[in-house]
Amino acid sequence: MKSDFINELGVMFTENNYISDDIYNKLNVKRGLRNKNGTGVLVGLTKIGSVLGYSIDKDGKKVPSEGKLYYRGIPIEKLVAQFRKEKTFCFEKTMFLLLFGKVPSNFELKMFISTLKEYQHLPDEFIEDFILRKPGTDIMNQLQRSVLCLYTLDENPDDISLSNLIDQSLNLIAKFPSLLVYCYQACNYKHFNKSLIIHNPVEEYSIAQNILHMLRSDNNFTELEAEVLDLILVIHAEHGGGNNSTFTSHVVSSTRTDTYSSISASIGSLKGPMHGGANSMVTKMVEDIKKNTNPYDEVKLKEYLKKIFQKEVFDKKGRIYGMGHAVYTISDPRAVILKKKAYELAKEKKALEEFELFSSIEKLTREIGKELKGKNFEICANVDLYSGFVYKLLNIPQNIFTPLFALSRIASWNAHRMEQILVDKKLIRPAYKAIDENGNVFL
């Protein structure tokens, strides 16, 4: 009875809320905050990061170009090359840059890391009461709840003065790696009958090293593994103010709510498969390909990819996950950087055949796109194509792929939050028009 009634309500809702595409076009609605040419509607300004993947010609059309990503005006390739020379704490340096607008000096980095170490430990009662007692089945949801619960530990949680916002940001950044791993361990223990192993972070380790240390029962990891994870965190750390989870930070922060509510909302946004959950979808897609065809035969692989493209197989949504991006057209600079490092790690792990599969998916999808959409059609590999593969090589469980994405963005979300509160100051409130069943606008 209940299910029948709910189905009836679903039919009723659908009938009474349907709006045709014609009405959207007639009223010039910027659906998804996108212009007709696919570019984003300009709603704000930022100094933190920028993303470029095309130019606009005199007729207002998008002209594809090589992808560029800038952190505080510095190209990501240059930043990665500079930080890799310095070896340790690359992600920590990146977070400092995003938050405060400059690459830290040795002294500034030392003080920054020292402050993070001071804040990184979670109280035992917090771990017991808020993480272990009622673990959820989804790590992202549990992270949201845990971040909100940190509000209760803050003596001044609603203060939005700059000094307090910075203090809260550093506290969240420091605690987030432990929150992530402990939520994962609690979920495994409660729902999958696995041993509960809690490792405390090691003071001299970087964030990337501590994640591997806390995740693994034997605490062992190689230098290359830590270096690759650190690189993934760096290249995921910022992507401009317009990506969904960062824009969420701006929207929620414009109300002047507390930091914990804002960051929790951004985590909720990132969870979606259209955003941060995409790397998990790549893994599922590849598993489906392996199950239904010979992925190491290029002819058969191309045939199956074409069927995915045409909504005939896999999830029938016509998306080859890990390919295509809202901004990047010819290339995603993050994917270019990560692909090179993925090759190194695959070589160490004796997984070059698997690496070649992902490389083939990238190449063949480009070919299929031009065959089906025309020679001018451009589609590139995005960072998700190779990040899931790298996580697999690092023996990182699939259900924390997206939580690691959240970890990489934690400093950026706070930087954008502070920017919104201190610079913009305007409550974000776009307009919606009310229409009747005939598409007429109510006066």
Side-chain angles (χ1 to χ4, degrees), residues 214-318:
M214 290 189 290
L215 272 178
R216 296 182 176 181
S217 57
D218 60 5
N219 304 138
N220 291 327
F221 54 87
T222 69
E223 183 178 333
L224 179 59
E225 286 178 320
E227 185 183 332
V228 171
L229 181 55
D230 186 80
L231 174 64
I232 288 182
L233 296 176
V234 168
I235 64 177
H236 278 92
E238 160 65 13
H239 217 237
N243 72 82
N244 199 284
S245 56
T246 301
F247 184 58
T248 297
S249 178
H250 278 278
V251 172
V252 177
S253 296
S254 75
T255 71
R256 303 302 187 268
T257 191
D258 66 278
T259 293
Y260 308 97
S261 294
S262 172
I263 299 304
S264 177
S266 290
I267 294 171
S269 167
L270 191 71
K271 179 191 173 188
M274 294 285 282
H275 191 13
N279 52 20
S280 291
M281 291 303 295
V282 173
T283 301
K284 291 175 182 177
M285 180 187 73
V286 171
E287 289 171 355
D288 178 81
I289 290 171
K290 288 180 177 179
K291 182 179 178 181
N292 292 288
T293 190
N294 179 359
Y296 303 105
D297 181 321
E298 276 206 358
V299 174
K300 291 182 179 178
L301 175 59
K302 186 173 181 179
E303 288 175 356
Y304 200 76
L305 289 171
K306 187 176 287 188
K307 289 180 180 179
I308 294 176
F309 212 99
Q310 295 175 318
K311 303 182 181 181
E312 296 174 9
V313 294
F314 187 44
D315 62 359
K316 299 185 179 180
K317 292 183 178 179

Side-chain angles (χ1 to χ4, degrees), residues 79-290:
L79 194 70
V80 167
Q82 177 183 340
F83 284 175
R84 282 177 66 185
K85 286 180 183 176
E86 300 161 4
K87 291 287 185 182
T88 58
F89 301 112
C90 299
F91 180 51
E92 286 81 345
K93 293 172 190 172
T94 301
M95 291 192 293
F96 188 98
L97 169 67
L98 293 173
L99 282 164
F100 306 113
K102 68 183 290 286
V103 175
S105 66
N106 289 336
F107 175 76
E108 289 166 339
L109 180 64
K110 182 178 179 181
M111 291 300 297
F112 181 65
I113 291 173
S114 175
T115 304
L116 296 183
K117 300 297 183 188
E118 183 181 330
Y119 281 144
Q120 72 181 354
H121 291 284
L122 289 161
D124 290 341
E125 62 271 20
F126 183 92
I127 298 172
E128 176 65 32
D129 293 340
F130 295 121
I131 297 179
L132 299 182
R133 182 159 294 176
K134 290 283 186 179
T137 56
D138 187 282
I139 312 302
M140 289 292 280
N141 284 106
Q142 189 157 344
L143 273 175
Q144 280 187 283
R145 187 180 71 187
S146 298
V147 167
L148 284 172
C149 289
L150 287 176
Y151 180 99
T152 64
L153 301 182
D154 193 327
E155 295 179 357
N156 203 11
D158 294 301
D159 179 4
I160 59 170
S161 64
L162 179 58
S163 59
N164 198 55
L165 288 175
I166 292 173
D167 189 61
Q168 288 175 331
S169 298
L170 299 183
N171 182 44
L172 269 170
I173 289 167
K175 287 182 168 57
F176 209 86
S178 295
L179 280 179
L180 189 161
V181 177
Y182 295 167
C183 285
Y184 163 71
Q185 302 287 17
C187 174
N188 271 356
Y189 175 70
K190 178 72 174 180
H191 299 287
F192 301 104
N193 298 316
K194 294 186 178 180
S195 299
L196 180 62
I197 303 171
I198 298 292
H199 295 306
N200 292 322
V202 175
E203 189 162 329
E204 62 267 25
Y205 279 175
S206 69
I207 288 175
Q209 290 171 324
N210 261 321
I211 291 168
L212 294 174
H213 158 74
M214 290 189 290
L215 272 178
R216 296 182 176 181
S217 57
D218 60 5
N219 304 138
N220 291 327
F221 54 87
T222 69
E223 183 178 333
L224 179 59
E225 286 178 320
E227 185 183 332
V228 171
L229 181 55
D230 186 80
L231 174 64
I232 288 182
L233 296 176
V234 168
I235 64 177
H236 278 92
E238 160 65 13
H239 217 237
N243 72 82
N244 199 284
S245 56
T246 301
F247 184 58
T248 297
S249 178
H250 278 278
V251 172
V252 177
S253 296
S254 75
T255 71
R256 303 302 187 268
T257 191
D258 66 278
T259 293
Y260 308 97
S261 294
S262 172
I263 299 304
S264 177
S266 290
I267 294 171
S269 167
L270 191 71
K271 179 191 173 188
M274 294 285 282
H275 191 13
N279 52 20
S280 291
M281 291 303 295
V282 173
T283 301
K284 291 175 182 177
M285 180 187 73
V286 171
E287 289 171 355
D288 178 81
I289 290 171
K290 288 180 177 179

Side-chain angles (χ1 to χ4, degrees), residues 6 39 105 120 173 215 270 346 365 379 400 410:
I6 288 177
T39 60
S105 66
Q120 72 181 354
I173 289 167
L215 272 178
L270 191 71
T365 302
I379 188 169
I400 59 170
I410 191 73

